Amino acid sequence: MSTAAATKPSAAPKGGGRRKLTLPWIMLIVAAGLVLFSLVRAVSGANDLTSVGQVSGALQLAVPIGLAGLGGLWAERAGVVNIGLEGMMVLGTWFGAWAGYQWGPWTGVLFGLVGGAIGGLLHAVITVTFNVNHIVSGVAINILAVGFTQYLSNFTFAEAPGGSSKQSPRIEQITKITIPGLSDWLQDLQAKHWFLVSDLAGILGGLVTNLSLLTVVAILLIPATWWVLWRTAFGLRLRSCGENPVAAESLGVNVYKYKYIAVTVSGALAGLGGAFLAIVATGIYQEGQTGGRGYIGLAAMIFGNWMPGGMALGAGLFGFTDSLKLRGGAENVHALLLLVALLLVVAALWQLYRKKYVAGVVSAVFAAGFFLWYALTDEVPSQFVDAAPYVTTLLVLALSAQRLRMPKADGLPYRKGQGK
């Protein structure tokens, strides 16, 4: 009795660690963000900021980033850093386009998965079996994938009608769905530019208008990943390999097997993102079309704290920022200056409330700077518009770095038999 009483208080200390966001809090934050967006749109007059076309374009741009981020999550939850996501996406674009123009888009999707999985398997062999540094292996795969696809294009696409050594022939499109009636009603409601109501209509309208079936599959992969990794015995074993592989092996887990599975699935998801770029986003393979999305997907995964839901939010943010330069360009990015200023004001008030006066003052100074930039200009330079997605990536990672917790054994060397 005395032993139990003595150990009880230390078993689960209250108030230790960082609180997890519950669903009501997440919904409240999303609602507050929507109100802020609506306010910025009303003040700036950038009515395209939350239009159906803007949201639809953002979703299309976010999907390949999200798939790459999902692939990174699988690998890193098993303890393998996968900076080779970019190369695996490149393989997915090439294999998806090569099979897609010959045998149809869904066959292209399958081959894109296989192409990325091959890259993931190669990464697993190098890092898991031969214990090579994960960063070195990933960089090597990125370089190898670019050279390999350029070589293959010279005697495949170059000989095909309508193709060249740098691009494929046109690929048949995957079916797109639009919910009749609802889509038109939401577009009409969005066109009225009512505060909050029209913004919500624009967001919902973008999710039911010209939606590719592959986009639906990609969205469903997010909750599927969460369920597999956090609600199954398989997922528990896989995550244990990323937290403490020695302890996992001592309990009978085949660490090598789970790492191989995770990194191969990681490559397949990145390859699916590449196939999406070639088949859905553009309808054609072009050399260099991934444009660093594998790296941005990795940033989205880190922003999401190695969780599927957070990663999806990060991918959506980067996709939205990227879509601004396609619709409205300088006007929309100029409106974002006001949004950034308001967010910095919120951050300053929060830091002051927590009695972190230095951080609060710094946030307030930057908020004033962005307010002045917005008030004294009518548009931003075109170069800033093009750089907006990458600037967003850097800012998001810098601001979210303090709350991140990566898997404890992520990227650490491991030899079979250490747990025995």
Side-chain angles (χ1 to χ4, degrees), residues 243-264:
E243 294 292 340
N244 194 331
V246 174
E249 186 183 27
S250 68
L251 294 173
V253 176
N254 188 334
V255 176
Y256 273 24
K257 181 183 81 170
Y258 282 93
K259 285 180 179 286
Y260 262 89
I261 292 172
V263 181
T264 303

Side-chain angles (χ1 to χ4, degrees), residues 87 90-91 93-95 141-159 164-168 285-290:
V90 171
L91 292 173
T93 58
W94 192 91
F95 279 99
I141 287 174
N142 290 339
I143 296 171
L144 179 64
V146 172
F148 183 61
T149 52
Q150 287 176 345
Y151 170 73
L152 291 177
S153 296
N154 287 328
F155 60 87
T156 51
F157 296 148
E159 304 297 329
S164 71
S165 61
K166 294 185 181 295
Q167 70 176 44
S168 71
Y285 163 83
Q286 290 178 312
E287 188 178 301
Q289 74 185 130
T290 55

Side-chain angles (χ1 to χ4, degrees), residues 62-88:
V63 166
I65 295 173
L67 287 170
L70 207 59
L73 187 148
W74 271 82
E76 299 209 9
R77 277 294 175 180
V80 179
V81 175
N82 190 1
I83 204 171
L85 290 168
E86 179 75 8
M88 296 166 198

Side-chain angles (χ1 to χ4, degrees), residues 301-312:
M301 178 207 68
I302 296 170
F303 165 78
N305 208 10
W306 289 265
M307 294 292 291
M311 184 282 307

Side-chain angles (χ1 to χ4, degrees), residues 164-228:
S164 71
S165 61
K166 294 185 181 295
Q167 70 176 44
S168 71
R170 176 102 2 218
I171 307 165
E172 182 184 346
Q173 285 286 303
I174 289 176
T175 303
K176 293 185 177 181
I177 55 174
T178 297
I179 299 179
L182 179 60
S183 175
D184 294 334
W185 177 67
L186 289 172
Q187 289 191 58
D188 291 340
L189 195 58
Q190 180 265 316
K192 296 182 184 297
H193 306 312
W194 291 340
F195 183 79
L196 195 59
V197 175
S198 292
D199 300 284
L200 184 59
I203 293 171
L204 294 176
L207 300 178
V208 297
T209 305
N210 290 328
L211 196 65
S212 170
L213 290 178
L214 189 55
T215 301
V216 177
V217 172
I219 293 172
L220 291 176
L221 284 172
I222 296 169
T225 291
W226 174 83
W227 184 81
V228 170

